[in-house]
Amino acid sequence: MTTKPIVIGVTGGSGSGKTSVSQQILRNFQGYSVMLLAQDNYYKDQAHLAFEQRLQTNYDHPDAFDNDLFAKHLATLIDGGEIEIPIYDYSRHTRSDETRMAQSHDVIIVEGILILYSQELRNLMDIKVYVDTDDDIRLARRILRDIKERGRSVDSVIQQYVDVVKPMHHQFIEPTKRYADLIVPEGGYNTVAIDLLSTKIEHFLHNIK
């Protein structure tokens, strides 16, 4: 690959629809050189902590992420290199021993709740997208997801949302909206915004052929 990749950052609160936006873009460009790099893979390694201490991890706080490694890996991809992506084990609340190799692509979609919090990461992005969804909708989506996919109870999901997720969102995540080039209301349901992004990517891919 001789042309510098285009890097698109997609962020928003938990349950905002940022993953749906990212996945829809990937589906629109099946067969093309497009990849997704998720911030969730870059939670800090906590193997040095006792399990009881790991249980107290606030996954919605900027300090939970290893942004130095994340930025280093993203810069490597931009330079056309290969990286070894860590895999996070939520059952153990630390990194797995396994990793996943990834090569650079023409389009790199970076997705996560706090990707715009770090200036170093922001400086590596060409387009920054904030998916903006009301708190009540995000809570409803989170309840449905955590009950179905993670076996959580309604009470535990709501308690975590009230105690941690919502205050962290308003303190750290929502303020990063000011760095966005594009604000997308209602996530994956906003087909107009997704079409605009897809057109931009299509134009880029056409020009590098």
Side-chain angles (χ1 to χ4, degrees):
M1 183 173 59
T2 57
T3 304
K4 175 183 174 295
I6 185 172
V7 180
I8 302 172
V10 182
T11 190
S14 174
S16 64
K18 63 187 179 301
T19 302
S20 297
V21 170
S22 301
Q23 293 293 340
Q24 184 59 54
I25 294 172
L26 283 175
R27 283 193 291 270
N28 288 348
F29 292 95
Q30 286 183 357
Y32 289 86
S33 180
V34 181
M35 69 174 293
L36 177 65
L37 186 65
Q39 189 180 30
D40 283 0
N41 290 112
Y42 289 86
Y43 281 117
K44 288 180 178 176
D45 186 19
Q46 303 192 111
H48 61 288
L49 298 177
F51 185 74
E52 291 72 19
Q53 291 176 284
R54 298 181 210 166
L55 291 174
Q56 306 304 314
T57 302
N58 180 351
Y59 288 110
D60 294 84
H61 194 282
D63 290 346
F65 295 98
D66 187 349
N67 280 327
D68 289 339
L69 180 63
F70 194 26
K72 179 182 177 181
H73 278 187
L74 181 55
T76 299
L77 290 173
I78 291 171
D79 288 339
E82 186 179 58
I83 62 172
E84 196 171 351
I85 301 175
I87 297 174
Y88 198 80
D89 185 347
Y90 289 96
S91 66
R92 296 171 51 235
H93 297 277
T94 190
R95 282 188 193 154
S96 167
D97 295 331
E98 299 178 2
T99 57
R100 177 170 61 87
M101 301 302 297
Q103 295 181 333
S104 185
H105 287 62
D106 293 328
V107 178
I108 303 169
I109 301 171
V110 181
E111 182 256 321
I113 59 173
L114 283 162
I115 58 170
L116 298 187
Y117 186 83
S118 163
Q119 183 177 352
E120 185 178 11
L121 284 171
R122 291 197 305 270
N123 290 343
L124 295 172
M125 299 174 197
D126 300 295
I127 302 172
K128 298 176 285 293
V129 180
Y130 185 94
V131 181
D132 194 16
T133 305
D134 289 342
D135 286 353
D136 55 348
I137 297 176
R138 293 192 303 104
L139 172 59
R141 289 175 179 171
R142 190 177 176 100
I143 290 172
L144 291 173
R145 182 197 68 188
D146 285 4
I147 290 174
K148 181 179 179 181
E149 298 179 8
R150 303 179 183 178
R152 302 274 301 280
S153 69
V154 174
D155 288 346
S156 70
V157 177
I158 293 176
Q159 191 68 48
Q160 184 186 31
Y161 183 84
V162 171
D163 292 346
V164 179
V165 177
K166 185 176 180 179
M168 293 297 99
H169 175 80
H170 290 292
Q171 184 176 354
F172 297 112
I173 301 169
E174 191 171 45
T176 67
K177 189 192 301 185
R178 68 182 183 270
Y179 301 119
D181 302 305
L182 177 65
I183 296 175
V184 179
E186 303 305 326
Y189 295 102
N190 194 325
T191 55
V192 173
I194 292 172
D195 286 346
L196 284 171
L197 281 169
S198 296
T199 299
K200 178 73 173 179
I201 295 170
E202 187 175 8
H203 179 72
F204 174 79
L205 290 171
H206 177 75
N207 285 342
I208 65 174
K209 283 185 178 179

